[in-house]
PDB file of all heavy atoms in Angstrom:
ATOM      1  N   LYS H1111    -114.105 112.705 182.766  1.00 89.00           N
ATOM      2  CA  LYS H1111    -115.069 113.440 181.937  1.00 89.00           C
ATOM      3  C   LYS H1111    -114.471 114.821 181.544  1.00 89.00           C
ATOM      4  O   LYS H1111    -114.930 115.441 180.595  1.00 89.00           O
ATOM      5  CB  LYS H1111    -116.391 113.647 182.698  1.00 89.00           C
ATOM      6  CG  LYS H1111    -117.108 112.362 182.968  1.00 89.00           C
ATOM      7  CD  LYS H1111    -118.377 112.601 183.818  1.00 89.00           C
ATOM      8  CE  LYS H1111    -119.053 111.276 184.163  1.00 89.00           C
ATOM      9  NZ  LYS H1111    -120.254 111.502 185.015  1.00 89.00           N
ATOM     10  N   LYS H1112    -113.467 115.278 182.336  1.00 89.00           N
ATOM     11  CA  LYS H1112    -112.898 116.615 182.041  1.00 89.00           C
ATOM     12  C   LYS H1112    -111.499 116.489 181.367  1.00 89.00           C
ATOM     13  O   LYS H1112    -110.783 117.489 181.241  1.00 89.00           O
ATOM     14  CB  LYS H1112    -112.738 117.358 183.368  1.00 89.00           C
ATOM     15  CG  LYS H1112    -114.044 117.450 184.177  1.00 89.00           C
ATOM     16  CD  LYS H1112    -113.769 118.060 185.542  1.00 89.00           C
ATOM     17  CE  LYS H1112    -115.042 118.089 186.409  1.00 89.00           C
ATOM     18  NZ  LYS H1112    -114.748 118.637 187.751  1.00 89.00           N
ATOM     19  N   LEU H1113    -111.158 115.289 180.961  1.00 91.00           N
ATOM     20  CA  LEU H1113    -109.788 115.085 180.455  1.00 91.00           C
ATOM     21  C   LEU H1113    -109.486 115.898 179.226  1.00 91.00           C
ATOM     22  O   LEU H1113    -108.328 116.312 179.051  1.00 91.00           O
ATOM     23  CB  LEU H1113    -109.592 113.598 180.213  1.00 91.00           C
ATOM     24  CG  LEU H1113    -108.217 113.058 180.014  1.00 91.00           C
ATOM     25  CD1 LEU H1113    -107.324 113.414 181.242  1.00 91.00           C
ATOM     26  CD2 LEU H1113    -108.202 111.588 179.767  1.00 91.00           C
ATOM     27  N   HIS H1114    -110.483 116.126 178.367  1.00 86.00           N
ATOM     28  CA  HIS H1114    -110.213 116.923 177.186  1.00 86.00           C
ATOM     29  C   HIS H1114    -110.306 118.408 177.447  1.00 86.00           C
ATOM     30  O   HIS H1114    -109.877 119.249 176.607  1.00 86.00           O
ATOM     31  CB  HIS H1114    -111.246 116.558 176.075  1.00 86.00           C
ATOM     32  CG  HIS H1114    -112.602 116.392 176.595  1.00 86.00           C
ATOM     33  ND1 HIS H1114    -113.388 117.496 177.032  1.00 86.00           N
ATOM     34  CD2 HIS H1114    -113.408 115.329 176.758  1.00 86.00           C
ATOM     35  CE1 HIS H1114    -114.536 117.037 177.400  1.00 86.00           C
ATOM     36  NE2 HIS H1114    -114.581 115.749 177.267  1.00 86.00           N
ATOM     37  N   GLU H1115    -110.881 118.804 178.571  1.00 82.00           N
ATOM     38  CA  GLU H1115    -111.010 120.226 179.023  1.00 82.00           C
ATOM     39  C   GLU H1115    -111.691 121.051 177.945  1.00 82.00           C
ATOM     40  O   GLU H1115    -111.267 122.203 177.693  1.00 82.00           O
ATOM     41  CB  GLU H1115    -109.669 120.775 179.388  1.00 82.00           C
ATOM     42  CG  GLU H1115    -108.985 119.960 180.484  1.00 82.00           C
ATOM     43  CD  GLU H1115    -107.747 120.604 181.022  1.00 82.00           C
ATOM     44  OE1 GLU H1115    -107.846 121.621 181.688  1.00 82.00           O
ATOM     45  OE2 GLU H1115    -106.657 120.000 180.834  1.00 82.00           O
ATOM     46  N   LEU H1116    -112.715 120.477 177.316  1.00 81.00           N
ATOM     47  CA  LEU H1116    -113.464 121.185 176.295  1.00 81.00           C
ATOM     48  C   LEU H1116    -114.931 121.428 176.785  1.00 81.00           C
ATOM     49  O   LEU H1116    -115.475 120.606 177.542  1.00 81.00           O
ATOM     50  CB  LEU H1116    -113.542 120.388 175.012  1.00 81.00           C
ATOM     51  CG  LEU H1116    -112.172 120.118 174.285  1.00 81.00           C
ATOM     52  CD1 LEU H1116    -112.399 119.160 173.122  1.00 81.00           C
ATOM     53  CD2 LEU H1116    -111.599 121.410 173.781  1.00 81.00           C
ATOM     54  N   SER H1117    -115.533 122.516 176.352  1.00 77.00           N
ATOM     55  CA  SER H1117    -116.929 122.756 176.658  1.00 77.00           C
ATOM     56  C   SER H1117    -117.792 121.904 175.794  1.00 77.00           C
ATOM     57  O   SER H1117    -117.331 121.201 174.849  1.00 77.00           O
ATOM     58  CB  SER H1117    -117.253 124.241 176.482  1.00 77.00           C
ATOM     59  OG  SER H1117    -117.172 124.542 175.103  1.00 77.00           O
ATOM     60  N   GLY H1118    -119.094 121.878 176.025  1.00 74.00           N
ATOM     61  CA  GLY H1118    -120.007 121.064 175.213  1.00 74.00           C
ATOM     62  C   GLY H1118    -120.007 121.410 173.797  1.00 74.00           C
ATOM     63  O   GLY H1118    -119.921 120.495 172.890  1.00 74.00           O
ATOM     64  N   ASP H1119    -119.991 122.690 173.437  1.00 73.00           N
ATOM     65  CA  ASP H1119    -119.974 123.135 172.049  1.00 73.00           C
ATOM     66  C   ASP H1119    -118.648 122.746 171.404  1.00 73.00           C
ATOM     67  O   ASP H1119    -118.570 122.332 170.218  1.00 73.00           O
ATOM     68  CB  ASP H1119    -120.222 124.599 171.957  1.00 73.00           C
ATOM     69  CG  ASP H1119    -121.629 125.001 172.336  1.00 73.00           C
ATOM     70  OD1 ASP H1119    -122.535 124.119 172.285  1.00 73.00           O
ATOM     71  OD2 ASP H1119    -121.855 126.159 172.746  1.00 73.00           O
ATOM     72  N   GLU H1120    -117.556 122.968 172.108  1.00 76.00           N
ATOM     73  CA  GLU H1120    -116.215 122.625 171.604  1.00 76.00           C
ATOM     74  C   GLU H1120    -116.067 121.152 171.331  1.00 76.00           C
ATOM     75  O   GLU H1120    -115.453 120.708 170.374  1.00 76.00           O
ATOM     76  CB  GLU H1120    -115.128 123.150 172.536  1.00 76.00           C
ATOM     77  CG  GLU H1120    -115.029 124.625 172.637  1.00 76.00           C
ATOM     78  CD  GLU H1120    -114.043 125.066 173.761  1.00 76.00           C
ATOM     79  OE1 GLU H1120    -113.898 124.285 174.754  1.00 76.00           O
ATOM     80  OE2 GLU H1120    -113.468 126.167 173.622  1.00 76.00           O
ATOM     81  N   LEU H1121    -116.674 120.342 172.218  1.00 75.00           N
ATOM     82  CA  LEU H1121    -116.595 118.925 172.100  1.00 75.00           C
ATOM     83  C   LEU H1121    -117.263 118.393 170.811  1.00 75.00           C
ATOM     84  O   LEU H1121    -116.842 117.439 170.213  1.00 75.00           O
ATOM     85  CB  LEU H1121    -117.224 118.264 173.357  1.00 75.00           C
ATOM     86  CG  LEU H1121    -117.025 116.726 173.499  1.00 75.00           C
ATOM     87  CD1 LEU H1121    -115.571 116.382 173.515  1.00 75.00           C
ATOM     88  CD2 LEU H1121    -117.738 116.259 174.773  1.00 75.00           C
ATOM     89  N   LEU H1122    -118.364 119.069 170.424  1.00 72.00           N
ATOM     90  CA  LEU H1122    -119.019 118.721 169.168  1.00 72.00           C
ATOM     91  C   LEU H1122    -118.146 118.907 167.962  1.00 72.00           C
ATOM     92  O   LEU H1122    -118.238 118.199 166.955  1.00 72.00           O
ATOM     93  CB  LEU H1122    -120.306 119.511 169.034  1.00 72.00           C
ATOM     94  CG  LEU H1122    -121.419 119.251 170.040  1.00 72.00           C
ATOM     95  CD1 LEU H1122    -122.601 120.186 169.814  1.00 72.00           C
ATOM     96  CD2 LEU H1122    -121.919 117.821 169.936  1.00 72.00           C
ATOM     97  N   ASP H1123    -117.263 119.877 168.020  1.00 75.00           N
ATOM     98  CA  ASP H1123    -116.362 120.154 166.894  1.00 75.00           C
ATOM     99  C   ASP H1123    -115.119 119.284 166.858  1.00 75.00           C
ATOM    100  O   ASP H1123    -114.443 119.214 165.863  1.00 75.00           O
ATOM    101  CB  ASP H1123    -115.899 121.647 166.939  1.00 75.00           C
ATOM    102  CG  ASP H1123    -117.049 122.619 166.778  1.00 75.00           C
ATOM    103  OD1 ASP H1123    -118.042 122.254 166.113  1.00 75.00           O
ATOM    104  OD2 ASP H1123    -116.996 123.724 167.381  1.00 75.00           O
ATOM    105  N   VAL H1124    -114.879 118.613 167.995  1.00 74.00           N
ATOM    106  CA  VAL H1124    -113.653 117.793 168.071  1.00 74.00           C
ATOM    107  C   VAL H1124    -114.115 116.326 168.361  1.00 74.00           C
ATOM    108  O   VAL H1124    -113.973 115.837 169.469  1.00 74.00           O
ATOM    109  CB  VAL H1124    -112.703 118.209 169.178  1.00 74.00           C
ATOM    110  CG1 VAL H1124    -111.405 117.457 169.074  1.00 74.00           C
ATOM    111  CG2 VAL H1124    -112.416 119.737 168.994  1.00 74.00           C
ATOM    112  N   LYS H1174     -99.885 117.778 175.584  1.00 96.00           N
ATOM    113  CA  LYS H1174    -100.580 119.076 175.830  1.00 96.00           C
ATOM    114  C   LYS H1174     -99.588 120.168 176.196  1.00 96.00           C
ATOM    115  O   LYS H1174     -99.722 121.312 175.754  1.00 96.00           O
ATOM    116  CB  LYS H1174    -101.607 118.842 176.919  1.00 96.00           C
ATOM    117  CG  LYS H1174    -102.891 118.145 176.458  1.00 96.00           C
ATOM    118  CD  LYS H1174    -103.922 118.195 177.555  1.00 96.00           C
ATOM    119  CE  LYS H1174    -105.254 117.723 177.016  1.00 96.00           C
ATOM    120  NZ  LYS H1174    -106.408 117.977 177.944  1.00 96.00           N
ATOM    121  N   LEU H1227    -106.202 117.299 170.831  1.00 92.00           N
ATOM    122  CA  LEU H1227    -107.588 117.420 171.292  1.00 92.00           C
ATOM    123  C   LEU H1227    -108.350 116.142 170.971  1.00 92.00           C
ATOM    124  O   LEU H1227    -109.087 115.615 171.762  1.00 92.00           O
ATOM    125  CB  LEU H1227    -108.258 118.629 170.712  1.00 92.00           C
ATOM    126  CG  LEU H1227    -107.738 119.955 171.166  1.00 92.00           C
ATOM    127  CD1 LEU H1227    -108.446 121.138 170.447  1.00 92.00           C
ATOM    128  CD2 LEU H1227    -107.931 120.158 172.696  1.00 92.00           C
ATOM    129  N   GLN H1228    -108.165 115.595 169.753  1.00 91.00           N
ATOM    130  CA  GLN H1228    -108.819 114.392 169.411  1.00 91.00           C
ATOM    131  C   GLN H1228    -108.343 113.183 170.271  1.00 91.00           C
ATOM    132  O   GLN H1228    -109.134 112.341 170.722  1.00 91.00           O
ATOM    133  CB  GLN H1228    -108.592 114.015 167.891  1.00 91.00           C
ATOM    134  CG  GLN H1228    -109.424 114.872 166.965  1.00 91.00           C
ATOM    135  CD  GLN H1228    -109.346 114.356 165.538  1.00 91.00           C
ATOM    136  OE1 GLN H1228    -108.282 113.970 165.044  1.00 91.00           O
ATOM    137  NE2 GLN H1228    -110.524 114.357 164.876  1.00 91.00           N
ATOM    138  N   SER H1230    -107.197 113.424 173.257  1.00 94.00           N
ATOM    139  CA  SER H1230    -107.743 113.628 174.628  1.00 94.00           C
ATOM    140  C   SER H1230    -109.176 113.191 174.745  1.00 94.00           C
ATOM    141  O   SER H1230    -109.597 112.647 175.758  1.00 94.00           O
ATOM    142  CB  SER H1230    -107.558 115.079 175.066  1.00 94.00           C
ATOM    143  OG  SER H1230    -108.353 115.979 174.287  1.00 94.00           O
ATOM    144  N   VAL H1231    -109.955 113.393 173.695  1.00 92.00           N
ATOM    145  CA  VAL H1231    -111.379 112.998 173.679  1.00 92.00           C
ATOM    146  C   VAL H1231    -111.451 111.475 173.680  1.00 92.00           C
ATOM    147  O   VAL H1231    -112.238 110.888 174.416  1.00 92.00           O
ATOM    148  CB  VAL H1231    -112.113 113.604 172.490  1.00 92.00           C
ATOM    149  CG1 VAL H1231    -113.508 113.053 172.357  1.00 92.00           C
ATOM    150  CG2 VAL H1231    -112.216 115.106 172.624  1.00 92.00           C
TER     151      VAL H1231
END
Side-chain angles (χ1 to χ4, degrees):
K1111 297 176 182 178
K1112 306 173 184 176
L1113 195 57
H1114 44 69
E1115 302 190 68
L1116 297 172
S1117 66
D1119 292 337
E1120 292 172 332
L1121 189 57
L1122 293 175
D1123 296 330
V1124 187
K1174 283 191 169 190
L1227 292 176
Q1228 284 191 318
S1230 66
V1231 172

